Amino acid sequence: MSDLFDDPAPSDRPGQNAPEFTVSEISGEVKRTLEGTFGRIRVKGEVGRVFKARSGHLYYDIKDDRSVLACTTWKGQIASLSVVPEEGLEVVVTGRLTAFGGQSKYNMNVDEVAVAGQGALMALLEKRKKQLEAEGLFAPERKKPLPYLPQIIGVVTSPSGAVIRDILHRLRDRFPRKVLVWPVAVQGANCAPEVARAIEGFNQLSPGGALPRPDLIIVARGGGSIEDLWGFNEETVARAVANSQIPLISAVGHETDTTLIDFVSDRRAPTPTAAAELAVPVRLELLGWTENQGARLVRSAGQAVQQRRQRLNDLARALPKPDTLLETPRQRLDRVSERLPDALIRGVERRRLRLSEAAAALRPSTLRQLVGARQDRLRNLSSRLTLRPIQQDLARQHDRIDRLAQRLEAVQTQRLDRHRQRLEATGRQLEILSYKATLERGYAVVRSDDGVITRAAEAATQPRLRIEFADAAIDVTPAEAGGGDGVTPPAKAPGAPKSEGSKAVKRPSGKAPPDDQGSLF
């Protein structure tokens, strides 16, 4: 009995009395050991492969020169990340180690990602800058001109900082305007999404609505380290600025601070106060300039009038006096007035002489001679005018009509012959294809009130049948057709042979009706 409980001999495999685990039990034990031993840890490494699933979960690798650690950030944890992992970025991830028994793997559930040092941040910034520049987001032709005097200015900044007070104070000193403030977080994980939503929200406002759309947007923040300003280096913010239809001024940080939004914006201001100065002109300077321009306009108008008056006086002195201008026309008028009576008298005399000469030629004898000559000419013309040419023309027209009638009759005769021949040929084909020829060979057609009968079962259900032969048709009942009595003879066609009752129905012995004549028997 002791052999049943003791270990086998040393030559056999040891540990035969060790407890047995199921696969799920050992997987759960490994998971509990990992989570209990390490707890919450921080791991530094370079981001490798990054994959975002359709479900929204983020899968990526953290690696060094020898090993790779699989990491997972669930969909609900991505929004809280201050930095989204990108391939090649050196980061410090924080989370918990866990195991996935379904594939016998362990990984790290990451809920916080931080860039490992300022050098890595600058490298990532340079990479994003080159990518956006290659897409043309920094091109000068994309820059929109700033309005000279905007009616409404939208400011995207923190409502509790000194930046908004500096901007409002500077606007009030230079040229008071209406200001719409969109409060956002200016650093941390919520900075980039809130700034992007603020820019998109200003662009979605309707011009002239209850909350009017601004004519200019200022994105402002005070100075800070590169980590503090990193939200303005995010790609989502840069693309929101590039897609903005409203001109935008970037005023992030101090003059030495440079962020990605500065390259995409329409204008960059070194400070938030300088952004307010770029947004509006100085009202007092405009008033002074207007007054100066008004004074210059008055002086210019007075000088122009004075110059033209002097020029007019100079030209007036060069002109002759009115009496001098009229002396020559007056003298010419006097000479013409003196010559006018004599000229009228001479003209009347010349016209009286011409009238006398013309009247001398208009005598009755002259008119009678002219009328006689015209009458003689008319008689000569009437004698030449006879009906012979007209008759000849009519004869020619009659001959032409006769020839046309003959040609028309010939053509009509030919057409009638062709149609008659075609009709005769068609009739012959119809006779060839007609079932009448089949009836001449001894077949018959059986009909009822419903149509042609092709089956004996159909014939038995009909009260009366009509059988058509080659020469005539007879009416029978189904019983009479089978028994041979009660046949009603039809009216005889002229020249048809006499029928002898039911003997008129003939079927060739040993022959079936043709397939295409199912109604014949």
Side-chain angles (χ1 to χ4, degrees), residues 98-134:
T98 185
F100 179 55
Q103 295 181 354
S104 298
K105 294 181 179 180
Y106 73 95
N107 63 356
M108 183 175 180
N109 176 228
V110 177
D111 55 13
E112 179 58 37
V113 179
V115 178
Q118 185 173 351
L121 283 177
M122 296 303 296
L124 178 60
L125 176 60
E126 189 64 25
K127 177 182 176 182
R128 288 179 179 173
K129 181 180 175 182
K130 290 181 179 179
Q131 177 186 352
L132 297 179
E133 186 176 8

PDB file of all heavy atoms in Angstrom, residues 98-134:
ATOM      1  N   THR A  98      -0.893  43.275 -17.461  1.00  0.00           N
ATOM      2  CA  THR A  98      -1.945  42.271 -17.376  1.00  0.00           C
ATOM      3  C   THR A  98      -1.648  41.196 -18.397  1.00  0.00           C
ATOM      4  O   THR A  98      -0.721  41.325 -19.210  1.00  0.00           O
ATOM      5  CB  THR A  98      -3.330  42.901 -17.610  1.00  0.00           C
ATOM      6  OG1 THR A  98      -4.339  41.904 -17.414  1.00  0.00           O
ATOM      7  CG2 THR A  98      -3.451  43.463 -19.011  1.00  0.00           C
ATOM      8  N   ALA A  99      -2.397  40.119 -18.338  1.00  0.00           N
ATOM      9  CA  ALA A  99      -2.195  38.997 -19.259  1.00  0.00           C
ATOM     10  C   ALA A  99      -3.494  38.692 -19.980  1.00  0.00           C
ATOM     11  O   ALA A  99      -4.589  38.873 -19.437  1.00  0.00           O
ATOM     12  CB  ALA A  99      -1.696  37.764 -18.510  1.00  0.00           C
ATOM     13  N   PHE A 100      -3.353  38.190 -21.198  1.00  0.00           N
ATOM     14  CA  PHE A 100      -4.502  37.801 -22.010  1.00  0.00           C
ATOM     15  C   PHE A 100      -4.397  36.307 -22.269  1.00  0.00           C
ATOM     16  O   PHE A 100      -3.566  35.842 -23.049  1.00  0.00           O
ATOM     17  CB  PHE A 100      -4.510  38.581 -23.323  1.00  0.00           C
ATOM     18  CG  PHE A 100      -5.651  38.205 -24.220  1.00  0.00           C
ATOM     19  CD1 PHE A 100      -6.962  38.269 -23.768  1.00  0.00           C
ATOM     20  CD2 PHE A 100      -5.421  37.778 -25.517  1.00  0.00           C
ATOM     21  CE1 PHE A 100      -8.013  37.931 -24.602  1.00  0.00           C
ATOM     22  CE2 PHE A 100      -6.467  37.441 -26.343  1.00  0.00           C
ATOM     23  CZ  PHE A 100      -7.773  37.515 -25.882  1.00  0.00           C
ATOM     24  N   GLY A 101      -5.209  35.537 -21.518  1.00  0.00           N
ATOM     25  CA  GLY A 101      -5.100  34.083 -21.594  1.00  0.00           C
ATOM     26  C   GLY A 101      -5.512  33.518 -22.930  1.00  0.00           C
ATOM     27  O   GLY A 101      -5.104  32.412 -23.286  1.00  0.00           O
ATOM     28  N   GLY A 102      -6.311  34.236 -23.702  1.00  0.00           N
ATOM     29  CA  GLY A 102      -6.765  33.699 -24.983  1.00  0.00           C
ATOM     30  C   GLY A 102      -5.626  33.447 -25.947  1.00  0.00           C
ATOM     31  O   GLY A 102      -5.730  32.596 -26.828  1.00  0.00           O
ATOM     32  N   GLN A 103      -4.512  34.200 -25.806  1.00  0.00           N
ATOM     33  CA  GLN A 103      -3.372  34.016 -26.690  1.00  0.00           C
ATOM     34  C   GLN A 103      -2.069  33.770 -25.910  1.00  0.00           C
ATOM     35  O   GLN A 103      -0.989  33.818 -26.498  1.00  0.00           O
ATOM     36  CB  GLN A 103      -3.196  35.239 -27.592  1.00  0.00           C
ATOM     37  CG  GLN A 103      -4.347  35.441 -28.556  1.00  0.00           C
ATOM     38  CD  GLN A 103      -4.126  36.641 -29.460  1.00  0.00           C
ATOM     39  OE1 GLN A 103      -3.166  37.375 -29.286  1.00  0.00           O
ATOM     40  NE2 GLN A 103      -5.011  36.828 -30.418  1.00  0.00           N
ATOM     41  N   SER A 104      -2.171  33.545 -24.600  1.00  0.00           N
ATOM     42  CA  SER A 104      -0.992  33.310 -23.749  1.00  0.00           C
ATOM     43  C   SER A 104       0.003  34.444 -23.891  1.00  0.00           C
ATOM     44  O   SER A 104       1.212  34.227 -24.072  1.00  0.00           O
ATOM     45  CB  SER A 104      -0.334  31.963 -24.105  1.00  0.00           C
ATOM     46  OG  SER A 104      -1.230  30.901 -23.870  1.00  0.00           O
ATOM     47  N   LYS A 105      -0.488  35.694 -23.844  1.00  0.00           N
ATOM     48  CA  LYS A 105       0.361  36.864 -23.963  1.00  0.00           C
ATOM     49  C   LYS A 105       0.102  37.804 -22.810  1.00  0.00           C
ATOM     50  O   LYS A 105      -0.974  37.805 -22.220  1.00  0.00           O
ATOM     51  CB  LYS A 105       0.095  37.601 -25.288  1.00  0.00           C
ATOM     52  CG  LYS A 105       0.496  36.816 -26.536  1.00  0.00           C
ATOM     53  CD  LYS A 105       0.223  37.645 -27.781  1.00  0.00           C
ATOM     54  CE  LYS A 105       0.640  36.880 -29.044  1.00  0.00           C
ATOM     55  NZ  LYS A 105       0.382  37.668 -30.267  1.00  0.00           N
ATOM     56  N   TYR A 106       1.104  38.601 -22.530  1.00  0.00           N
ATOM     57  CA  TYR A 106       0.913  39.655 -21.545  1.00  0.00           C
ATOM     58  C   TYR A 106       1.131  41.002 -22.241  1.00  0.00           C
ATOM     59  O   TYR A 106       1.871  41.099 -23.230  1.00  0.00           O
ATOM     60  CB  TYR A 106       1.866  39.491 -20.359  1.00  0.00           C
ATOM     61  CG  TYR A 106       3.306  39.844 -20.659  1.00  0.00           C
ATOM     62  CD1 TYR A 106       3.799  41.117 -20.369  1.00  0.00           C
ATOM     63  CD2 TYR A 106       4.168  38.908 -21.223  1.00  0.00           C
ATOM     64  CE1 TYR A 106       5.118  41.450 -20.654  1.00  0.00           C
ATOM     65  CE2 TYR A 106       5.476  39.227 -21.494  1.00  0.00           C
ATOM     66  CZ  TYR A 106       5.961  40.502 -21.215  1.00  0.00           C
ATOM     67  OH  TYR A 106       7.256  40.837 -21.489  1.00  0.00           O
ATOM     68  N   ASN A 107       0.478  42.033 -21.753  1.00  0.00           N
ATOM     69  CA  ASN A 107       0.632  43.370 -22.310  1.00  0.00           C
ATOM     70  C   ASN A 107       0.407  44.395 -21.209  1.00  0.00           C
ATOM     71  O   ASN A 107       0.139  44.034 -20.054  1.00  0.00           O
ATOM     72  CB  ASN A 107      -0.320  43.595 -23.482  1.00  0.00           C
ATOM     73  CG  ASN A 107      -1.769  43.525 -23.053  1.00  0.00           C
ATOM     74  OD1 ASN A 107      -2.058  43.228 -21.892  1.00  0.00           O
ATOM     75  ND2 ASN A 107      -2.683  43.787 -23.967  1.00  0.00           N
ATOM     76  N   MET A 108       0.475  45.643 -21.576  1.00  0.00           N
ATOM     77  CA  MET A 108       0.353  46.734 -20.618  1.00  0.00           C
ATOM     78  C   MET A 108      -0.809  47.609 -21.013  1.00  0.00           C
ATOM     79  O   MET A 108      -0.887  48.078 -22.157  1.00  0.00           O
ATOM     80  CB  MET A 108       1.643  47.563 -20.578  1.00  0.00           C
ATOM     81  CG  MET A 108       1.630  48.684 -19.546  1.00  0.00           C
ATOM     82  SD  MET A 108       3.238  49.507 -19.471  1.00  0.00           S
ATOM     83  CE  MET A 108       2.905  50.726 -18.212  1.00  0.00           C
ATOM     84  N   ASN A 109      -1.751  47.800 -20.107  1.00  0.00           N
ATOM     85  CA  ASN A 109      -2.873  48.712 -20.333  1.00  0.00           C
ATOM     86  C   ASN A 109      -2.424  50.123 -19.937  1.00  0.00           C
ATOM     87  O   ASN A 109      -2.224  50.421 -18.769  1.00  0.00           O
ATOM     88  CB  ASN A 109      -4.087  48.275 -19.518  1.00  0.00           C
ATOM     89  CG  ASN A 109      -5.246  49.242 -19.657  1.00  0.00           C
ATOM     90  OD1 ASN A 109      -5.845  49.644 -18.682  1.00  0.00           O
ATOM     91  ND2 ASN A 109      -5.559  49.654 -20.877  1.00  0.00           N
ATOM     92  N   VAL A 110      -2.253  51.003 -20.948  1.00  0.00           N
ATOM     93  CA  VAL A 110      -1.682  52.333 -20.739  1.00  0.00           C
ATOM     94  C   VAL A 110      -2.812  53.348 -20.661  1.00  0.00           C
ATOM     95  O   VAL A 110      -3.705  53.380 -21.537  1.00  0.00           O
ATOM     96  CB  VAL A 110      -0.718  52.699 -21.887  1.00  0.00           C
ATOM     97  CG1 VAL A 110      -0.172  54.111 -21.703  1.00  0.00           C
ATOM     98  CG2 VAL A 110       0.413  51.690 -21.964  1.00  0.00           C
ATOM     99  N   ASP A 111      -2.793  54.195 -19.627  1.00  0.00           N
ATOM    100  CA  ASP A 111      -3.775  55.275 -19.509  1.00  0.00           C
ATOM    101  C   ASP A 111      -3.118  56.653 -19.489  1.00  0.00           C
ATOM    102  O   ASP A 111      -3.799  57.667 -19.351  1.00  0.00           O
ATOM    103  CB  ASP A 111      -4.635  55.080 -18.250  1.00  0.00           C
ATOM    104  CG  ASP A 111      -3.782  54.949 -16.981  1.00  0.00           C
ATOM    105  OD1 ASP A 111      -2.574  55.246 -17.046  1.00  0.00           O
ATOM    106  OD2 ASP A 111      -4.334  54.523 -15.951  1.00  0.00           O
ATOM    107  N   GLU A 112      -1.782  56.706 -19.599  1.00  0.00           N
ATOM    108  CA  GLU A 112      -1.092  57.996 -19.646  1.00  0.00           C
ATOM    109  C   GLU A 112       0.174  57.843 -20.472  1.00  0.00           C
ATOM    110  O   GLU A 112       0.939  56.875 -20.317  1.00  0.00           O
ATOM    111  CB  GLU A 112      -0.735  58.479 -18.233  1.00  0.00           C
ATOM    112  CG  GLU A 112       0.013  59.804 -18.195  1.00  0.00           C
ATOM    113  CD  GLU A 112      -0.761  60.928 -18.869  1.00  0.00           C
ATOM    114  OE1 GLU A 112      -2.019  60.947 -18.735  1.00  0.00           O
ATOM    115  OE2 GLU A 112      -0.132  61.760 -19.522  1.00  0.00           O
ATOM    116  N   VAL A 113       0.393  58.807 -21.407  1.00  0.00           N
ATOM    117  CA  VAL A 113       1.575  58.808 -22.264  1.00  0.00           C
ATOM    118  C   VAL A 113       2.217  60.175 -22.162  1.00  0.00           C
ATOM    119  O   VAL A 113       1.547  61.204 -22.311  1.00  0.00           O
ATOM    120  CB  VAL A 113       1.218  58.497 -23.742  1.00  0.00           C
ATOM    121  CG1 VAL A 113       2.473  58.533 -24.607  1.00  0.00           C
ATOM    122  CG2 VAL A 113       0.532  57.140 -23.853  1.00  0.00           C
ATOM    123  N   ALA A 114       3.514  60.206 -21.902  1.00  0.00           N
ATOM    124  CA  ALA A 114       4.267  61.456 -21.822  1.00  0.00           C
ATOM    125  C   ALA A 114       5.503  61.328 -22.687  1.00  0.00           C
ATOM    126  O   ALA A 114       6.103  60.248 -22.790  1.00  0.00           O
ATOM    127  CB  ALA A 114       4.656  61.770 -20.376  1.00  0.00           C
ATOM    128  N   VAL A 115       5.893  62.431 -23.324  1.00  0.00           N
ATOM    129  CA  VAL A 115       7.093  62.426 -24.151  1.00  0.00           C
ATOM    130  C   VAL A 115       8.312  62.401 -23.247  1.00  0.00           C
ATOM    131  O   VAL A 115       8.404  63.133 -22.250  1.00  0.00           O
ATOM    132  CB  VAL A 115       7.115  63.668 -25.065  1.00  0.00           C
ATOM    133  CG1 VAL A 115       8.381  63.687 -25.900  1.00  0.00           C
ATOM    134  CG2 VAL A 115       5.885  63.677 -25.958  1.00  0.00           C
ATOM    135  N   ALA A 116       9.278  61.581 -23.593  1.00  0.00           N
ATOM    136  CA  ALA A 116      10.461  61.391 -22.759  1.00  0.00           C
ATOM    137  C   ALA A 116      11.519  62.427 -23.105  1.00  0.00           C
ATOM    138  O   ALA A 116      12.464  62.165 -23.846  1.00  0.00           O
ATOM    139  CB  ALA A 116      11.023  59.988 -22.941  1.00  0.00           C
ATOM    140  N   GLY A 117      11.353  63.678 -22.617  1.00  0.00           N
ATOM    141  CA  GLY A 117      12.378  64.698 -22.809  1.00  0.00           C
ATOM    142  C   GLY A 117      12.012  65.696 -23.877  1.00  0.00           C
ATOM    143  O   GLY A 117      11.204  65.443 -24.776  1.00  0.00           O
ATOM    144  N   GLN A 118      12.632  66.897 -23.782  1.00  0.00           N
ATOM    145  CA  GLN A 118      12.353  67.976 -24.718  1.00  0.00           C
ATOM    146  C   GLN A 118      12.880  67.666 -26.107  1.00  0.00           C
ATOM    147  O   GLN A 118      12.305  68.092 -27.106  1.00  0.00           O
ATOM    148  CB  GLN A 118      12.987  69.276 -24.193  1.00  0.00           C
ATOM    149  CG  GLN A 118      12.654  70.504 -25.023  1.00  0.00           C
ATOM    150  CD  GLN A 118      13.162  71.775 -24.369  1.00  0.00           C
ATOM    151  OE1 GLN A 118      13.610  71.738 -23.229  1.00  0.00           O
ATOM    152  NE2 GLN A 118      13.083  72.864 -25.088  1.00  0.00           N
ATOM    153  N   GLY A 119      13.964  66.925 -26.204  1.00  0.00           N
ATOM    154  CA  GLY A 119      14.502  66.575 -27.517  1.00  0.00           C
ATOM    155  C   GLY A 119      13.522  65.751 -28.332  1.00  0.00           C
ATOM    156  O   GLY A 119      13.369  65.950 -29.540  1.00  0.00           O
ATOM    157  N   ALA A 120      12.839  64.830 -27.687  1.00  0.00           N
ATOM    158  CA  ALA A 120      11.837  64.028 -28.406  1.00  0.00           C
ATOM    159  C   ALA A 120      10.685  64.898 -28.871  1.00  0.00           C
ATOM    160  O   ALA A 120      10.142  64.717 -29.964  1.00  0.00           O
ATOM    161  CB  ALA A 120      11.333  62.913 -27.510  1.00  0.00           C
ATOM    162  N   LEU A 121      10.277  65.852 -28.039  1.00  0.00           N
ATOM    163  CA  LEU A 121       9.202  66.756 -28.445  1.00  0.00           C
ATOM    164  C   LEU A 121       9.603  67.580 -29.658  1.00  0.00           C
ATOM    165  O   LEU A 121       8.819  67.770 -30.599  1.00  0.00           O
ATOM    166  CB  LEU A 121       8.829  67.685 -27.282  1.00  0.00           C
ATOM    167  CG  LEU A 121       7.976  67.096 -26.176  1.00  0.00           C
ATOM    168  CD1 LEU A 121       7.770  68.115 -25.069  1.00  0.00           C
ATOM    169  CD2 LEU A 121       6.634  66.633 -26.708  1.00  0.00           C
ATOM    170  N   MET A 122      10.824  68.091 -29.657  1.00  0.00           N
ATOM    171  CA  MET A 122      11.278  68.882 -30.800  1.00  0.00           C
ATOM    172  C   MET A 122      11.361  68.028 -32.059  1.00  0.00           C
ATOM    173  O   MET A 122      11.045  68.498 -33.161  1.00  0.00           O
ATOM    174  CB  MET A 122      12.641  69.503 -30.481  1.00  0.00           C
ATOM    175  CG  MET A 122      12.618  70.501 -29.334  1.00  0.00           C
ATOM    176  SD  MET A 122      11.437  71.868 -29.613  1.00  0.00           S
ATOM    177  CE  MET A 122      12.159  72.626 -31.047  1.00  0.00           C
ATOM    178  N   ALA A 123      11.789  66.776 -31.903  1.00  0.00           N
ATOM    179  CA  ALA A 123      11.831  65.882 -33.071  1.00  0.00           C
ATOM    180  C   ALA A 123      10.435  65.629 -33.612  1.00  0.00           C
ATOM    181  O   ALA A 123      10.197  65.626 -34.829  1.00  0.00           O
ATOM    182  CB  ALA A 123      12.520  64.567 -32.690  1.00  0.00           C
ATOM    183  N   LEU A 124       9.461  65.406 -32.716  1.00  0.00           N
ATOM    184  CA  LEU A 124       8.082  65.198 -33.156  1.00  0.00           C
ATOM    185  C   LEU A 124       7.521  66.452 -33.804  1.00  0.00           C
ATOM    186  O   LEU A 124       6.822  66.391 -34.824  1.00  0.00           O
ATOM    187  CB  LEU A 124       7.225  64.791 -31.956  1.00  0.00           C
ATOM    188  CG  LEU A 124       5.729  64.582 -32.227  1.00  0.00           C
ATOM    189  CD1 LEU A 124       5.524  63.483 -33.265  1.00  0.00           C
ATOM    190  CD2 LEU A 124       4.994  64.238 -30.940  1.00  0.00           C
ATOM    191  N   LEU A 125       7.850  67.626 -33.228  1.00  0.00           N
ATOM    192  CA  LEU A 125       7.379  68.879 -33.813  1.00  0.00           C
ATOM    193  C   LEU A 125       7.945  69.081 -35.209  1.00  0.00           C
ATOM    194  O   LEU A 125       7.231  69.489 -36.133  1.00  0.00           O
ATOM    195  CB  LEU A 125       7.772  70.049 -32.901  1.00  0.00           C
ATOM    196  CG  LEU A 125       7.424  71.454 -33.414  1.00  0.00           C
ATOM    197  CD1 LEU A 125       5.933  71.599 -33.613  1.00  0.00           C
ATOM    198  CD2 LEU A 125       7.947  72.515 -32.457  1.00  0.00           C
ATOM    199  N   GLU A 126       9.211  68.770 -35.375  1.00  0.00           N
ATOM    200  CA  GLU A 126       9.827  68.931 -36.697  1.00  0.00           C
ATOM    201  C   GLU A 126       9.211  67.963 -37.707  1.00  0.00           C
ATOM    202  O   GLU A 126       8.998  68.313 -38.880  1.00  0.00           O
ATOM    203  CB  GLU A 126      11.326  68.679 -36.585  1.00  0.00           C
ATOM    204  CG  GLU A 126      12.127  69.030 -37.835  1.00  0.00           C
ATOM    205  CD  GLU A 126      12.068  70.519 -38.159  1.00  0.00           C
ATOM    206  OE1 GLU A 126      11.844  71.328 -37.219  1.00  0.00           O
ATOM    207  OE2 GLU A 126      12.245  70.868 -39.341  1.00  0.00           O
ATOM    208  N   LYS A 127       8.890  66.753 -37.254  1.00  0.00           N
ATOM    209  CA  LYS A 127       8.257  65.784 -38.145  1.00  0.00           C
ATOM    210  C   LYS A 127       6.880  66.256 -38.595  1.00  0.00           C
ATOM    211  O   LYS A 127       6.540  66.195 -39.788  1.00  0.00           O
ATOM    212  CB  LYS A 127       8.147  64.438 -37.422  1.00  0.00           C
ATOM    213  CG  LYS A 127       7.440  63.359 -38.221  1.00  0.00           C
ATOM    214  CD  LYS A 127       7.324  62.085 -37.414  1.00  0.00           C
ATOM    215  CE  LYS A 127       6.535  61.016 -38.176  1.00  0.00           C
ATOM    216  NZ  LYS A 127       6.374  59.788 -37.374  1.00  0.00           N
ATOM    217  N   ARG A 128       6.089  66.766 -37.663  1.00  0.00           N
ATOM    218  CA  ARG A 128       4.759  67.270 -38.028  1.00  0.00           C
ATOM    219  C   ARG A 128       4.865  68.491 -38.924  1.00  0.00           C
ATOM    220  O   ARG A 128       4.070  68.672 -39.861  1.00  0.00           O
ATOM    221  CB  ARG A 128       3.975  67.618 -36.768  1.00  0.00           C
ATOM    222  CG  ARG A 128       3.521  66.417 -35.970  1.00  0.00           C
ATOM    223  CD  ARG A 128       2.771  66.834 -34.737  1.00  0.00           C
ATOM    224  NE  ARG A 128       2.313  65.689 -33.969  1.00  0.00           N
ATOM    225  CZ  ARG A 128       1.744  65.778 -32.768  1.00  0.00           C
ATOM    226  NH1 ARG A 128       1.598  66.983 -32.197  1.00  0.00           N
ATOM    227  NH2 ARG A 128       1.346  64.695 -32.134  1.00  0.00           N
ATOM    228  N   LYS A 129       5.835  69.334 -38.645  1.00  0.00           N
ATOM    229  CA  LYS A 129       6.007  70.533 -39.458  1.00  0.00           C
ATOM    230  C   LYS A 129       6.315  70.173 -40.905  1.00  0.00           C
ATOM    231  O   LYS A 129       5.750  70.749 -41.839  1.00  0.00           O
ATOM    232  CB  LYS A 129       7.129  71.382 -38.861  1.00  0.00           C
ATOM    233  CG  LYS A 129       7.393  72.673 -39.616  1.00  0.00           C
ATOM    234  CD  LYS A 129       8.530  73.445 -38.960  1.00  0.00           C
ATOM    235  CE  LYS A 129       8.881  74.688 -39.772  1.00  0.00           C
ATOM    236  NZ  LYS A 129      10.015  75.425 -39.175  1.00  0.00           N
ATOM    237  N   LYS A 130       7.205  69.210 -41.126  1.00  0.00           N
ATOM    238  CA  LYS A 130       7.535  68.792 -42.489  1.00  0.00           C
ATOM    239  C   LYS A 130       6.321  68.163 -43.182  1.00  0.00           C
ATOM    240  O   LYS A 130       6.089  68.379 -44.379  1.00  0.00           O
ATOM    241  CB  LYS A 130       8.697  67.800 -42.453  1.00  0.00           C
ATOM    242  CG  LYS A 130      10.017  68.429 -42.051  1.00  0.00           C
ATOM    243  CD  LYS A 130      11.126  67.398 -42.065  1.00  0.00           C
ATOM    244  CE  LYS A 130      12.474  68.037 -41.672  1.00  0.00           C
ATOM    245  NZ  LYS A 130      13.571  67.040 -41.668  1.00  0.00           N
ATOM    246  N   GLN A 131       5.529  67.388 -42.442  1.00  0.00           N
ATOM    247  CA  GLN A 131       4.350  66.753 -43.032  1.00  0.00           C
ATOM    248  C   GLN A 131       3.328  67.792 -43.490  1.00  0.00           C
ATOM    249  O   GLN A 131       2.831  67.743 -44.621  1.00  0.00           O
ATOM    250  CB  GLN A 131       3.719  65.803 -42.011  1.00  0.00           C
ATOM    251  CG  GLN A 131       2.433  65.147 -42.500  1.00  0.00           C
ATOM    252  CD  GLN A 131       1.751  64.331 -41.416  1.00  0.00           C
ATOM    253  OE1 GLN A 131       2.321  64.133 -40.341  1.00  0.00           O
ATOM    254  NE2 GLN A 131       0.542  63.859 -41.691  1.00  0.00           N
ATOM    255  N   LEU A 132       3.025  68.766 -42.611  1.00  0.00           N
ATOM    256  CA  LEU A 132       2.035  69.781 -42.981  1.00  0.00           C
ATOM    257  C   LEU A 132       2.562  70.709 -44.065  1.00  0.00           C
ATOM    258  O   LEU A 132       1.795  71.175 -44.918  1.00  0.00           O
ATOM    259  CB  LEU A 132       1.639  70.587 -41.738  1.00  0.00           C
ATOM    260  CG  LEU A 132       0.960  69.799 -40.625  1.00  0.00           C
ATOM    261  CD1 LEU A 132       0.633  70.708 -39.451  1.00  0.00           C
ATOM    262  CD2 LEU A 132      -0.307  69.116 -41.126  1.00  0.00           C
ATOM    263  N   GLU A 133       3.863  70.975 -44.041  1.00  0.00           N
ATOM    264  CA  GLU A 133       4.431  71.821 -45.089  1.00  0.00           C
ATOM    265  C   GLU A 133       4.364  71.128 -46.438  1.00  0.00           C
ATOM    266  O   GLU A 133       4.116  71.758 -47.463  1.00  0.00           O
ATOM    267  CB  GLU A 133       5.875  72.168 -44.738  1.00  0.00           C
ATOM    268  CG  GLU A 133       6.519  73.157 -45.696  1.00  0.00           C
ATOM    269  CD  GLU A 133       7.919  73.537 -45.259  1.00  0.00           C
ATOM    270  OE1 GLU A 133       8.431  72.920 -44.296  1.00  0.00           O
ATOM    271  OE2 GLU A 133       8.497  74.461 -45.867  1.00  0.00           O
ATOM    272  N   ALA A 134       4.581  69.800 -46.444  1.00  0.00           N
ATOM    273  CA  ALA A 134       4.473  69.045 -47.699  1.00  0.00           C
ATOM    274  C   ALA A 134       3.049  69.062 -48.232  1.00  0.00           C
ATOM    275  O   ALA A 134       2.835  69.013 -49.453  1.00  0.00           O
ATOM    276  CB  ALA A 134       4.945  67.604 -47.482  1.00  0.00           C
TER     277      ALA A 134
END
